[in-house]
Amino acid sequence: MNILFVRLSYIGDVLHATPAARWIKEQYPDAKLHWIVTPSMVELLQGNPYVDKIIPWERDGGILRPN
């Protein structure tokens, strides 16, 4: 199962959604959690054991790919 969280630019939204990620991983340990956030929010999720992939997204530029 793949689950996508879309929390783009508000720090409070990102932080308040992290307990939901924990709950989902506890209920569905094989689920893959991916998050789309603005580049300024990436650091908030790095190192979070409940997040499998962080996808930086710029409103005007689309998904950012690492160099």
Side-chain angles (χ1 to χ4, degrees):
M1 171 185 333
N2 293 313
I3 299 169
L4 177 65
F5 277 75
V6 180
R7 293 283 86 191
L8 297 176
S9 59
Y10 298 108
I11 190 170
D13 289 347
V14 173
L15 292 176
H16 285 119
T18 55
R22 178 181 175 189
W23 184 87
I24 289 169
K25 281 293 211 174
E26 288 172 350
Q27 301 303 308
Y28 306 97
D30 294 329
K32 299 293 180 197
L33 292 181
H34 301 221
W35 287 61
I36 293 180
V37 294
T38 56
S40 63
M41 297 293 127
V42 168
E43 282 186 54
L44 290 174
L45 297 173
Q46 285 178 333
N48 185 318
Y50 306 109
V51 177
D52 295 297
K53 184 175 183 179
I54 303 166
I55 304 165
W57 184 76
E58 236 357 296
R59 287 184 189 271
D60 296 331
I63 292 175
L64 303 177
R65 291 180 172 53
N67 295 332

